[in-house]
Amino acid sequence: MKNYVLLFVSVLTLSFNSCTTMKDTTKTADLYNTTWELEYITGPRIAFEGLYPNKKPFLKFDENAGQVYGNAGCNGYTAPYTLKGKKLSFGEQGPATLMFCEGGGEQTFLQTIKKINGYSIDKDGKLSLMMNEIPMMRFKKVAK
């Protein structure tokens, strides 16, 4: 009887572990051939829609060039990135046209993306950019 209980507890433990490890389904290939639109950013006390009243930031990773392209809210965004496993960091932003941006979201985006040192893609296909395992930005896939 004691052996059956031990076996049952072992199987139950393995089941729980396998379920929790499946939450993060990150595969490097999932980053590419996708346009990622920002839907959450940590930090500001202004509502998300107030930060980005006209256009939400988006990113697109170019695997061959090692660059990320997109928009930081109203101005273009281009930067090199480094990817090693689940570690991700962004280099200095390339030249951009500097238009005045309403809401102040672009500065929040640019300051936050410099702090990123990892990423994950959850089971719902959402991309989280992380700082020390803490989600700082979350993106959803969009057709652009």
Side-chain angles (χ1 to χ4, degrees):
M1 180 70 175
K2 195 175 196 182
N3 288 336
Y4 289 117
V5 171
L6 184 58
L7 179 63
F8 177 74
V9 170
S10 297
V11 169
L12 196 58
T13 302
L14 287 173
S15 297
F16 283 131
N17 283 341
S18 65
C19 289
T20 58
T21 58
M22 291 185 64
K23 285 183 183 176
D24 181 9
T25 59
T26 302
K27 289 181 236 151
T28 303
D30 291 341
L31 278 177
Y32 308 112
N33 302 318
T34 300
T35 299
W36 298 99
E37 184 179 80
L38 186 68
E39 65 177 15
Y40 165 80
I41 190 164
T42 191
R45 295 177 187 240
I46 300 170
F48 185 80
E49 296 302 323
L51 285 172
Y52 306 103
N54 301 318
K55 189 176 194 180
K56 293 178 185 169
F58 68 90
L59 298 175
K60 188 164 188 162
F61 291 85
D62 184 331
E63 182 177 16
N64 295 327
Q67 295 277 321
V68 64
Y69 304 96
N71 189 290
C74 73
N75 291 301
Y77 177 78
T78 303
Y81 68 90
T82 304
L83 179 65
K84 291 181 182 170
K86 291 186 182 183
K87 300 291 182 192
L88 173 66
S89 61
F90 296 89
E92 286 299 314
Q93 177 184 359
T97 305
L98 297 178
M99 299 184 327
F100 172 75
C101 306
E102 290 184 44
E106 182 166 80
Q107 286 305 313
T108 302
F109 178 89
L110 295 173
Q111 290 168 358
T112 305
I113 205 161
K114 289 179 183 178
K115 299 174 185 176
I116 300 303
N117 59 18
Y119 82 102
S120 70
I121 299 174
D122 68 17
K123 62 182 167 119
D124 297 324
K126 306 263 178 148
L127 169 66
S128 291
L129 297 183
M130 322 280 270
M131 180 182 77
N132 302 328
E133 304 296 323
I134 299 169
M136 301 296 284
M137 306 167 99
R138 186 178 62 238
F139 295 78
K140 65 181 178 181
K141 292 181 181 183
V142 293
K144 283 200 182 204

